[in-house]
Amino acid sequence: MSDPRGFLKVRTRRELAERPAAERVADWFDVHSEHGAQPWTAAQASRCMDCGTPFCMTGCPLGNIIPEFNDLVSQGKWEDAYHRLSLTNNFPEVTGRVCPAPCEHACVLAIHQPATTIKNDELTIIDQAFELGYVTPMPPQRLTDMTVAIVGSGPAGLACAQQLTRAGHTVVVYERDDAPGGLMRYGIPNFKLDKHLIDKRVEQMTAEGTRFRLNTEIGKDISWDDLRSRYDAVIVAIGSGVPRDVAIPGRELEGIHFAMDFLPDTTRRLSGSPLKHDISAQGRHVVVIGGGDTGSDCLGSCLRQGAKDVTVLQINDREPVERPEGHPWPTYARTYQKTTSMAEGGTYLYDTDSVAFSAAPTDASHADGDEPAGVAIEPRLEASGFLADAEHHVTGVKVVTVGPGADGPRTRQPGTERILPADLVLISIGFAHPDTASLLDQMPVELDTRGNVARDDQFATTQEGVFVCGDAGRGQSLVVWAIAEGRSCAAAVDRYLNGSTELSSPIAATDRPMALPRTR
């Protein structure tokens, strides 16, 4: 270690500065005003304790060698730090921006101090590596005569493709959209993840030998069984694409959409790609049902499009600010994390159990990024119905207060109904399972009880030579888990084709996050 007493000397955690909220809602650029190495970067990295048992590596499904790359960052050895990080993580430019950092929740220092800035150190390493030219193609030293088709180009599919290409196999990635990246491209807004970062990786992968077939939907343009006959192995990495819906009177009205029908077109507008749904929040009263990461992305996107106002409804209990007693270290603690989009709104309405906040895009009173003034207190709310005009277009959302009662903790309280104006409603309550209709029809595989593609310990489906990774097999999860799935599936496929493998396999198909189940 460069300084074994660093965590004693530097006790304050430092984050990258953000641009003023009033400035950043006027564009789609990164919300941060600082990028790359800062004068304080080395000191922050020196806070890593080089623990005898680094639980941070257990919290991260990729098994990133965190103490070692933190030590290299503290010494300014950027090339060595990049090579150490890239041993385990194919896309740190993505995880460094959008991952909720379960590694930091497992940091030993976090027991009594703010955790080491692992996520920011990771981001700084890859940003420096790109700037200094360390990120170069790594083509295989030899080619096998084996071919692999990967369906889906999200983080799991791309990680799997890069690993198998570097192992010498001929890999073709099929993507139904006009550009690779999956939800990284058409789900995460540009202000959180600039798409040129994905383009850089695709250029690297293409130079290494990975082939991409875009605008090609398997099951429609090419049948699943035909694809299987062409390749030695097929990998299903289509993600969890069927959104959860709400069973609320008036759901069929015009103006009510899934979040993932809205968010992709925000990226397509910026890139000049053809729009698929052409949903805009400009000049509208918007209600977002669901306050998770996707709901937050909808909030930030609506503000940038010029919505009149945005109200986000979240029925789940609001997480505490500090680690709760029921979530002991080093498990992932569900604590309240205010997103950058939340800091861009106007008036927040919430109580200690839940959050329902309204955001007015014209309010710049909180330009310093702090929570805006004038916080109002409201009980938690549940959407109970929709109102419409004569043209059957939504005009409002009925909401009702819920709380403890005879029917459980979410009993609707009589006399608390009211109406929120809304001419655009976005449903953002997660995904149920992958869209397997064509797969089941053309190349039947077994599904698990949740509707995901069933697999064994080697990521293999019930069809010979067909594997599954990412959300299609695991269910809706984090980007970091998708990358880990892709890497582990690649090792399993390489073993299937060659009889053995030298590729790393960070997780088993049955592994789950080091977290306790949510209680309600």
Side-chain angles (χ1 to χ4, degrees), residues 27 32 67 70 124 207 210 233 337 357 436 445 480 495:
D27 59 49
H32 295 99
N70 272 339
T124 305
T210 303
Q337 302 292 330
F357 56 85
T436 56
V445 296
V480 67
R495 186 181 300 108

Side-chain angles (χ1 to χ4, degrees), residues 41-76:
T41 299
Q44 286 294 306
S46 73
R47 296 180 68 237
C48 183
M49 301 172 67
D50 193 22
C51 311
T53 302
F55 282 89
C56 56
M57 293 174 58
T58 305
C60 174
L62 287 169
N64 287 332
I65 313 171
I66 295 166
E68 294 189 14
F69 74 60
N70 272 339
D71 181 41
L72 292 168
V73 169
S74 70
Q75 300 179 60

Side-chain angles (χ1 to χ4, degrees), residues 335-387:
T335 55
Y336 176 61
Q337 302 292 330
K338 184 177 70 175
T339 68
T340 58
S341 294
M342 292 179 186
E344 295 164 357
T347 303
Y348 288 60
L349 308 174
Y350 55 74
D351 67 4
T352 57
D353 293 324
S354 64
V355 56
F357 56 85
S358 296
T362 56
D363 185 355
S365 63
H366 56 284
D368 58 357
D370 292 335
E371 206 163 83
V375 174
I377 304 299
E378 279 280 344
R380 59 181 176 176
L381 303 175
E382 179 183 39
S384 59
F386 300 107
L387 301 179

Side-chain angles (χ1 to χ4, degrees), residues 250-257 278-287 386-397 420-426:
R251 170 64 181 87
E252 73 285 354
L253 296 173
E254 296 292 323
I256 303 174
H257 307 274
D278 197 16
I279 306 167
S280 175
Q282 184 174 6
R284 295 190 175 188
H285 301 285
V286 184
V287 171
F386 300 107
L387 301 179
D389 57 21
E391 284 74 36
H392 300 285
H393 194 284
V394 66
T395 59
V397 179
L420 300 175
D423 40 25
L424 174 61
V425 176
L426 302 175

